Amino acid sequence: MPSTSARSRSRSRSAARLAAVQALYQLEMEQTPIPVLLHEFHRHRLGATIEGVEYADAEVDFFDDLVSGVNARSAELDELIAARLAKDWSLGRLDRPMRQILRAGTYELVARADVGTGTVISEYVDVAKAFYDKREAAFVNGLLDAVARDVRK
C-alpha cells in the first residue's frame, strides 16, 4: 500500500494535471502570457478557496512544467498527436479541451520519463472524464497509448 506521502503526492499531481489542462485551455482562448497565467493559477486556483469552491492542492512545480512545457513544445506535440488521429481527422477538428488533454498527456510521455506510461494514460483518462463521457475518455486512452508506443520504446 502506498505511503501517506505517496498518496498525497499522487493527489497533488492529479490536481496539477487538471489545472494544467484548464490553464492551457485559457491560454488558447485568451493568449494570456505564460508568466501572467502561471501567477493567476498560483494565486487563485491551486489550493485556494474562492467563493466557497475549494481547489485541490496541486504540485506547483509540476503544474508549471506541464503548462510551460506544452506551450514551448506545442508544434512537436501536435505532430505526434496528429500522426495518431484517423486519416479523415485533424487536430483542428478536436474541441479545445480535448486538444489540451492530449497535448498535456503527450508532453508527459515525451518529457517526463520519471512518470510511468500507465500513470500518464490513466491520469489523462481521468481528466477526460471530468469534461466528457466514456467515449471520449476511451479516445484519450487509445490515442495516448499509441503515442506512448511511438515515444517510449
Side-chain angles (χ1 to χ4, degrees), residues 70-90:
V70 168
N71 182 61
R73 297 176 75 170
S74 62
E76 172 192 1
L77 303 173
D78 287 355
E79 283 182 30
L80 290 167
I81 295 164
R84 288 308 187 158
L85 292 172
K87 293 195 186 316
D88 58 339
W89 275 86
S90 68

Side-chain angles (χ1 to χ4, degrees), residues 88-147:
D88 58 339
W89 275 86
S90 68
L91 199 61
R93 283 187 66 186
L94 299 174
D95 67 5
R96 285 182 173 110
M98 181 59 73
R99 279 197 301 267
Q100 304 319 323
I101 292 167
L102 295 174
R103 284 173 177 153
T106 299
Y107 173 77
E108 275 199 65
L109 290 169
V110 169
R112 297 296 308 227
D114 60 312
V115 182
T117 301
T119 298
V120 172
I121 294 169
S122 175
E123 287 286 325
Y124 286 99
V125 166
D126 286 346
V127 171
K129 289 176 182 176
F131 295 97
Y132 300 104
D133 292 326
K134 239 189 273 191
R135 192 178 90 203
E136 288 86 354
F139 171 73
V140 168
N141 184 63
L143 194 132
L144 290 179
D145 183 61
V147 168

